[in-house]
PDB file of all heavy atoms in Angstrom:
ATOM      1  N   ARG I  17     123.902 123.567  90.242  1.00 85.00           N
ATOM      2  CA  ARG I  17     125.350 123.656  90.088  1.00 85.00           C
ATOM      3  C   ARG I  17     125.950 122.276  89.859  1.00 85.00           C
ATOM      4  O   ARG I  17     127.132 122.067  90.070  1.00 85.00           O
ATOM      5  CB  ARG I  17     125.975 124.324  91.319  1.00 85.00           C
ATOM      6  CG  ARG I  17     125.591 125.790  91.471  1.00 85.00           C
ATOM      7  CD  ARG I  17     126.371 126.472  92.579  1.00 85.00           C
ATOM      8  NE  ARG I  17     125.946 126.001  93.898  1.00 85.00           N
ATOM      9  CZ  ARG I  17     126.735 125.377  94.768  1.00 85.00           C
ATOM     10  NH1 ARG I  17     127.989 125.109  94.439  1.00 85.00           N
ATOM     11  NH2 ARG I  17     126.286 125.006  95.938  1.00 85.00           N
ATOM     12  N   GLY I  18     125.111 121.319  89.436  1.00 88.00           N
ATOM     13  CA  GLY I  18     125.598 119.983  89.149  1.00 88.00           C
ATOM     14  C   GLY I  18     125.395 119.023  90.307  1.00 88.00           C
ATOM     15  O   GLY I  18     125.095 119.406  91.428  1.00 88.00           O
ATOM     16  N   LYS I  19     125.586 117.740  90.007  1.00 90.00           N
ATOM     17  CA  LYS I  19     125.307 116.698  90.985  1.00 90.00           C
ATOM     18  C   LYS I  19     126.261 116.731  92.173  1.00 90.00           C
ATOM     19  O   LYS I  19     125.862 116.497  93.311  1.00 90.00           O
ATOM     20  CB  LYS I  19     125.372 115.335  90.304  1.00 90.00           C
ATOM     21  CG  LYS I  19     124.973 114.183  91.206  1.00 90.00           C
ATOM     22  CD  LYS I  19     124.883 112.879  90.442  1.00 90.00           C
ATOM     23  CE  LYS I  19     124.444 111.740  91.359  1.00 90.00           C
ATOM     24  NZ  LYS I  19     124.327 110.457  90.614  1.00 90.00           N
ATOM     25  N   ALA I  20     127.543 117.020  91.915  1.00 93.00           N
ATOM     26  CA  ALA I  20     128.522 117.016  93.007  1.00 93.00           C
ATOM     27  C   ALA I  20     128.184 118.074  94.048  1.00 93.00           C
ATOM     28  O   ALA I  20     128.272 117.833  95.257  1.00 93.00           O
ATOM     29  CB  ALA I  20     129.928 117.235  92.462  1.00 93.00           C
ATOM     30  N   ALA I  21     127.791 119.267  93.588  1.00 92.00           N
ATOM     31  CA  ALA I  21     127.448 120.340  94.523  1.00 92.00           C
ATOM     32  C   ALA I  21     126.212 119.982  95.332  1.00 92.00           C
ATOM     33  O   ALA I  21     126.136 120.267  96.534  1.00 92.00           O
ATOM     34  CB  ALA I  21     127.223 121.644  93.765  1.00 92.00           C
ATOM     35  N   ALA I  22     125.232 119.347  94.683  1.00 91.00           N
ATOM     36  CA  ALA I  22     124.021 118.936  95.393  1.00 91.00           C
ATOM     37  C   ALA I  22     124.340 117.863  96.434  1.00 91.00           C
ATOM     38  O   ALA I  22     123.836 117.904  97.563  1.00 91.00           O
ATOM     39  CB  ALA I  22     122.981 118.419  94.397  1.00 91.00           C
ATOM     40  N   MET I  23     125.184 116.902  96.048  1.00 93.00           N
ATOM     41  CA  MET I  23     125.539 115.834  96.978  1.00 93.00           C
ATOM     42  C   MET I  23     126.319 116.389  98.168  1.00 93.00           C
ATOM     43  O   MET I  23     126.085 116.000  99.316  1.00 93.00           O
ATOM     44  CB  MET I  23     126.373 114.776  96.254  1.00 93.00           C
ATOM     45  CG  MET I  23     126.615 113.526  97.055  1.00 93.00           C
ATOM     46  SD  MET I  23     125.087 112.583  97.342  1.00 93.00           S
ATOM     47  CE  MET I  23     124.792 111.951  95.686  1.00 93.00           C
ATOM     48  N   GLN I  24     127.227 117.299  97.901  1.00 94.00           N
ATOM     49  CA  GLN I  24     128.014 117.887  98.980  1.00 94.00           C
ATOM     50  C   GLN I  24     127.113 118.593  99.981  1.00 94.00           C
ATOM     51  O   GLN I  24     127.290 118.457 101.196  1.00 94.00           O
ATOM     52  CB  GLN I  24     129.030 118.871  98.402  1.00 94.00           C
ATOM     53  CG  GLN I  24     129.940 119.492  99.454  1.00 94.00           C
ATOM     54  CD  GLN I  24     130.926 120.477  98.842  1.00 94.00           C
ATOM     55  OE1 GLN I  24     130.749 120.951  97.715  1.00 94.00           O
ATOM     56  NE2 GLN I  24     131.985 120.773  99.577  1.00 94.00           N
ATOM     57  N   ARG I  25     126.134 119.324  99.494  1.00 93.00           N
ATOM     58  CA  ARG I  25     125.247 120.035 100.414  1.00 93.00           C
ATOM     59  C   ARG I  25     124.369 119.057 101.183  1.00 93.00           C
ATOM     60  O   ARG I  25     124.136 119.221 102.384  1.00 93.00           O
ATOM     61  CB  ARG I  25     124.376 121.026  99.654  1.00 93.00           C
ATOM     62  CG  ARG I  25     123.564 121.896 100.605  1.00 93.00           C
ATOM     63  CD  ARG I  25     122.745 122.929  99.909  1.00 93.00           C
ATOM     64  NE  ARG I  25     122.045 123.750 100.896  1.00 93.00           N
ATOM     65  CZ  ARG I  25     120.871 124.332 100.676  1.00 93.00           C
ATOM     66  NH1 ARG I  25     120.279 124.197  99.503  1.00 93.00           N
ATOM     67  NH2 ARG I  25     120.298 125.047 101.603  1.00 93.00           N
ATOM     68  N   GLY I  26     123.854 118.043 100.503  1.00 92.00           N
ATOM     69  CA  GLY I  26     123.030 117.058 101.186  1.00 92.00           C
ATOM     70  C   GLY I  26     123.777 116.367 102.314  1.00 92.00           C
ATOM     71  O   GLY I  26     123.232 116.160 103.402  1.00 92.00           O
ATOM     72  N   ILE I  27     125.041 116.018 102.062  1.00 95.00           N
ATOM     73  CA  ILE I  27     125.858 115.372 103.099  1.00 95.00           C
ATOM     74  C   ILE I  27     126.101 116.330 104.254  1.00 95.00           C
ATOM     75  O   ILE I  27     126.012 115.953 105.425  1.00 95.00           O
ATOM     76  CB  ILE I  27     127.180 114.880 102.502  1.00 95.00           C
ATOM     77  CG1 ILE I  27     126.929 113.705 101.551  1.00 95.00           C
ATOM     78  CG2 ILE I  27     128.160 114.460 103.604  1.00 95.00           C
ATOM     79  CD1 ILE I  27     128.138 113.298 100.744  1.00 95.00           C
ATOM     80  N   ALA I  28     126.392 117.583 103.939  1.00 94.00           N
ATOM     81  CA  ALA I  28     126.652 118.572 104.985  1.00 94.00           C
ATOM     82  C   ALA I  28     125.435 118.768 105.885  1.00 94.00           C
ATOM     83  O   ALA I  28     125.567 118.996 107.093  1.00 94.00           O
ATOM     84  CB  ALA I  28     127.062 119.900 104.365  1.00 94.00           C
ATOM     85  N   LEU I  29     124.239 118.659 105.327  1.00 92.00           N
ATOM     86  CA  LEU I  29     123.013 118.863 106.091  1.00 92.00           C
ATOM     87  C   LEU I  29     122.602 117.632 106.888  1.00 92.00           C
ATOM     88  O   LEU I  29     121.773 117.724 107.799  1.00 92.00           O
ATOM     89  CB  LEU I  29     121.864 119.241 105.143  1.00 92.00           C
ATOM     90  CG  LEU I  29     121.937 120.635 104.506  1.00 92.00           C
ATOM     91  CD1 LEU I  29     120.958 120.733 103.348  1.00 92.00           C
ATOM     92  CD2 LEU I  29     121.646 121.706 105.534  1.00 92.00           C
ATOM     93  N   SER I  30     123.163 116.478 106.552  1.00 91.00           N
ATOM     94  CA  SER I  30     122.726 115.219 107.162  1.00 91.00           C
ATOM     95  C   SER I  30     123.202 115.095 108.608  1.00 91.00           C
ATOM     96  O   SER I  30     124.308 115.498 108.949  1.00 91.00           O
ATOM     97  CB  SER I  30     123.244 114.035 106.348  1.00 91.00           C
ATOM     98  OG  SER I  30     122.698 114.042 105.047  1.00 91.00           O
ATOM     99  N   SER I  31     122.349 114.522 109.434  1.00 89.00           N
ATOM    100  CA  SER I  31     122.673 114.353 110.850  1.00 89.00           C
ATOM    101  C   SER I  31     122.490 112.916 111.327  1.00 89.00           C
ATOM    102  O   SER I  31     122.738 112.614 112.483  1.00 89.00           O
ATOM    103  CB  SER I  31     121.798 115.284 111.703  1.00 89.00           C
ATOM    104  OG  SER I  31     120.424 115.023 111.476  1.00 89.00           O
ATOM    105  N   GLY I  32     122.033 112.027 110.450  1.00 91.00           N
ATOM    106  CA  GLY I  32     121.884 110.621 110.827  1.00 91.00           C
ATOM    107  C   GLY I  32     123.216 109.896 110.809  1.00 91.00           C
ATOM    108  O   GLY I  32     124.279 110.495 110.616  1.00 91.00           O
ATOM    109  N   ASP I  33     123.181 108.607 111.013  1.00 95.00           N
ATOM    110  CA  ASP I  33     124.400 107.800 111.082  1.00 95.00           C
ATOM    111  C   ASP I  33     124.837 107.261 109.729  1.00 95.00           C
ATOM    112  O   ASP I  33     125.991 106.895 109.548  1.00 95.00           O
ATOM    113  CB  ASP I  33     124.189 106.610 112.024  1.00 95.00           C
ATOM    114  CG  ASP I  33     123.886 107.055 113.444  1.00 95.00           C
ATOM    115  OD1 ASP I  33     124.388 108.117 113.845  1.00 95.00           O
ATOM    116  OD2 ASP I  33     123.142 106.340 114.146  1.00 95.00           O
ATOM    117  N   ILE I  34     123.910 107.177 108.778  1.00 97.00           N
ATOM    118  CA  ILE I  34     124.177 106.520 107.497  1.00 97.00           C
ATOM    119  C   ILE I  34     123.687 107.404 106.356  1.00 97.00           C
ATOM    120  O   ILE I  34     122.608 107.992 106.434  1.00 97.00           O
ATOM    121  CB  ILE I  34     123.473 105.150 107.413  1.00 97.00           C
ATOM    122  CG1 ILE I  34     123.882 104.262 108.589  1.00 97.00           C
ATOM    123  CG2 ILE I  34     123.785 104.454 106.096  1.00 97.00           C
ATOM    124  CD1 ILE I  34     123.049 102.989 108.712  1.00 97.00           C
ATOM    125  N   ILE I  35     124.499 107.473 105.303  1.00 96.00           N
ATOM    126  CA  ILE I  35     124.120 108.174 104.077  1.00 96.00           C
ATOM    127  C   ILE I  35     123.757 107.138 103.020  1.00 96.00           C
ATOM    128  O   ILE I  35     124.549 106.232 102.730  1.00 96.00           O
ATOM    129  CB  ILE I  35     125.284 109.037 103.540  1.00 96.00           C
ATOM    130  CG1 ILE I  35     125.626 110.164 104.513  1.00 96.00           C
ATOM    131  CG2 ILE I  35     124.958 109.587 102.155  1.00 96.00           C
ATOM    132  CD1 ILE I  35     124.663 111.313 104.510  1.00 96.00           C
ATOM    133  N   PHE I  36     122.564 107.251 102.454  1.00 96.00           N
ATOM    134  CA  PHE I  36     122.171 106.463 101.293  1.00 96.00           C
ATOM    135  C   PHE I  36     122.039 107.427 100.110  1.00 96.00           C
ATOM    136  O   PHE I  36     121.654 108.579 100.294  1.00 96.00           O
ATOM    137  CB  PHE I  36     120.810 105.781 101.494  1.00 96.00           C
ATOM    138  CG  PHE I  36     120.813 104.652 102.469  1.00 96.00           C
ATOM    139  CD1 PHE I  36     120.683 104.885 103.836  1.00 96.00           C
ATOM    140  CD2 PHE I  36     120.931 103.345 102.043  1.00 96.00           C
ATOM    141  CE1 PHE I  36     120.676 103.842 104.751  1.00 96.00           C
ATOM    142  CE2 PHE I  36     120.920 102.289 102.937  1.00 96.00           C
ATOM    143  CZ  PHE I  36     120.795 102.541 104.296  1.00 96.00           C
ATOM    144  N   THR I  37     122.356 106.968  98.918  1.00 94.00           N
ATOM    145  CA  THR I  37     122.091 107.775  97.730  1.00 94.00           C
ATOM    146  C   THR I  37     121.082 107.035  96.856  1.00 94.00           C
ATOM    147  O   THR I  37     121.137 105.805  96.727  1.00 94.00           O
ATOM    148  CB  THR I  37     123.375 108.058  96.933  1.00 94.00           C
ATOM    149  OG1 THR I  37     123.917 106.829  96.441  1.00 94.00           O
ATOM    150  CG2 THR I  37     124.416 108.743  97.815  1.00 94.00           C
ATOM    151  N   LEU I  38     120.178 107.796  96.272  1.00 92.00           N
ATOM    152  CA  LEU I  38     119.122 107.205  95.441  1.00 92.00           C
ATOM    153  C   LEU I  38     118.774 108.183  94.339  1.00 92.00           C
ATOM    154  O   LEU I  38     118.304 109.290  94.601  1.00 92.00           O
ATOM    155  CB  LEU I  38     117.883 106.889  96.283  1.00 92.00           C
ATOM    156  CG  LEU I  38     116.697 106.263  95.537  1.00 92.00           C
ATOM    157  CD1 LEU I  38     117.067 104.904  94.963  1.00 92.00           C
ATOM    158  CD2 LEU I  38     115.488 106.133  96.469  1.00 92.00           C
ATOM    159  N   ASP I  39     119.039 107.799  93.098  1.00 89.00           N
ATOM    160  CA  ASP I  39     118.699 108.651  91.968  1.00 89.00           C
ATOM    161  C   ASP I  39     117.193 108.685  91.764  1.00 89.00           C
ATOM    162  O   ASP I  39     116.471 107.762  92.154  1.00 89.00           O
ATOM    163  CB  ASP I  39     119.397 108.150  90.698  1.00 89.00           C
ATOM    164  CG  ASP I  39     120.902 108.362  90.750  1.00 89.00           C
ATOM    165  OD1 ASP I  39     121.339 109.259  91.496  1.00 89.00           O
ATOM    166  OD2 ASP I  39     121.632 107.636  90.046  1.00 89.00           O
ATOM    167  N   ALA I  40     116.738 109.733  91.109  1.00 82.00           N
ATOM    168  CA  ALA I  40     115.300 109.998  91.018  1.00 82.00           C
ATOM    169  C   ALA I  40     114.531 108.899  90.295  1.00 82.00           C
ATOM    170  O   ALA I  40     113.349 108.681  90.576  1.00 82.00           O
ATOM    171  CB  ALA I  40     115.068 111.344  90.322  1.00 82.00           C
ATOM    172  N   ASP I  41     115.158 108.210  89.347  1.00 84.00           N
ATOM    173  CA  ASP I  41     114.437 107.192  88.586  1.00 84.00           C
ATOM    174  C   ASP I  41     114.819 105.767  88.991  1.00 84.00           C
ATOM    175  O   ASP I  41     114.532 104.819  88.272  1.00 84.00           O
ATOM    176  CB  ASP I  41     114.645 107.388  87.077  1.00 84.00           C
ATOM    177  CG  ASP I  41     116.104 107.664  86.729  1.00 84.00           C
ATOM    178  OD1 ASP I  41     116.961 107.486  87.616  1.00 84.00           O
ATOM    179  OD2 ASP I  41     116.375 108.059  85.584  1.00 84.00           O
ATOM    180  N   ASP I  42     115.471 105.609  90.146  1.00 92.00           N
ATOM    181  CA  ASP I  42     115.782 104.285  90.683  1.00 92.00           C
ATOM    182  C   ASP I  42     114.965 104.054  91.950  1.00 92.00           C
ATOM    183  O   ASP I  42     114.297 104.960  92.443  1.00 92.00           O
ATOM    184  CB  ASP I  42     117.277 104.168  91.011  1.00 92.00           C
ATOM    185  CG  ASP I  42     118.155 104.316  89.768  1.00 92.00           C
ATOM    186  OD1 ASP I  42     117.647 104.110  88.652  1.00 92.00           O
ATOM    187  OD2 ASP I  42     119.337 104.664  89.933  1.00 92.00           O
ATOM    188  N   PHE I  43     115.031 102.839  92.488  1.00 92.00           N
ATOM    189  CA  PHE I  43     114.323 102.585  93.750  1.00 92.00           C
ATOM    190  C   PHE I  43     114.976 101.435  94.498  1.00 92.00           C
ATOM    191  O   PHE I  43     115.723 100.639  93.925  1.00 92.00           O
ATOM    192  CB  PHE I  43     112.829 102.326  93.524  1.00 92.00           C
ATOM    193  CG  PHE I  43     112.498 101.205  92.565  1.00 92.00           C
ATOM    194  CD1 PHE I  43     112.294  99.918  93.024  1.00 92.00           C
ATOM    195  CD2 PHE I  43     112.360 101.446  91.205  1.00 92.00           C
ATOM    196  CE1 PHE I  43     111.974  98.886  92.154  1.00 92.00           C
ATOM    197  CE2 PHE I  43     112.047 100.422  90.325  1.00 92.00           C
ATOM    198  CZ  PHE I  43     111.849  99.147  90.794  1.00 92.00           C
ATOM    199  N   PHE I  44     114.701 101.396  95.808  1.00 95.00           N
ATOM    200  CA  PHE I  44     115.212 100.335  96.672  1.00 95.00           C
ATOM    201  C   PHE I  44     114.194  99.202  96.748  1.00 95.00           C
ATOM    202  O   PHE I  44     112.979  99.435  96.720  1.00 95.00           O
ATOM    203  CB  PHE I  44     115.454 100.853  98.097  1.00 95.00           C
ATOM    204  CG  PHE I  44     116.568 101.858  98.221  1.00 95.00           C
ATOM    205  CD1 PHE I  44     116.605 102.721  99.315  1.00 95.00           C
ATOM    206  CD2 PHE I  44     117.577 101.933  97.282  1.00 95.00           C
ATOM    207  CE1 PHE I  44     117.627 103.641  99.450  1.00 95.00           C
ATOM    208  CE2 PHE I  44     118.607 102.849  97.408  1.00 95.00           C
ATOM    209  CZ  PHE I  44     118.633 103.714  98.496  1.00 95.00           C
ATOM    210  N   LEU I  45     114.702  97.989  96.909  1.00 94.00           N
ATOM    211  CA  LEU I  45     113.857  96.830  97.148  1.00 94.00           C
ATOM    212  C   LEU I  45     113.741  96.594  98.648  1.00 94.00           C
ATOM    213  O   LEU I  45     114.577  97.073  99.425  1.00 94.00           O
ATOM    214  CB  LEU I  45     114.454  95.603  96.462  1.00 94.00           C
ATOM    215  CG  LEU I  45     114.496  95.650  94.927  1.00 94.00           C
ATOM    216  CD1 LEU I  45     115.271  94.454  94.378  1.00 94.00           C
ATOM    217  CD2 LEU I  45     113.086  95.695  94.343  1.00 94.00           C
ATOM    218  N   PRO I  46     112.715  95.861  99.090  1.00 95.00           N
ATOM    219  CA  PRO I  46     112.563  95.583 100.527  1.00 95.00           C
ATOM    220  C   PRO I  46     113.820  94.920 101.093  1.00 95.00           C
ATOM    221  O   PRO I  46     114.405  94.026 100.473  1.00 95.00           O
ATOM    222  CB  PRO I  46     111.365  94.627 100.566  1.00 95.00           C
ATOM    223  CG  PRO I  46     110.568  94.968  99.350  1.00 95.00           C
ATOM    224  CD  PRO I  46     111.584  95.319  98.301  1.00 95.00           C
ATOM    225  N   GLY I  47     114.243  95.383 102.255  1.00 95.00           N
ATOM    226  CA  GLY I  47     115.423  94.832 102.902  1.00 95.00           C
ATOM    227  C   GLY I  47     116.682  95.638 102.690  1.00 95.00           C
ATOM    228  O   GLY I  47     117.696  95.393 103.358  1.00 95.00           O
TER     229      GLY I  47
END
């Protein structure tokens, strides 16, 4: 149903203190 609907559900399901977003073809560096 599109990216916004997916993001909304992911946030609703989250229980940690911090939300990070990461697209499928990107990545985080150490730190």
Side-chain angles (χ1 to χ4, degrees):
R17 293 188 289 118
K19 185 173 182 179
M23 189 67 71
Q24 182 181 18
R25 187 177 182 210
I27 291 171
L29 290 166
S30 297
S31 58
D33 298 329
I34 304 170
I35 295 284
F36 289 84
T37 64
L38 180 63
D39 291 336
D41 45 11
D42 297 339
F43 56 92
F44 293 159
L45 295 173

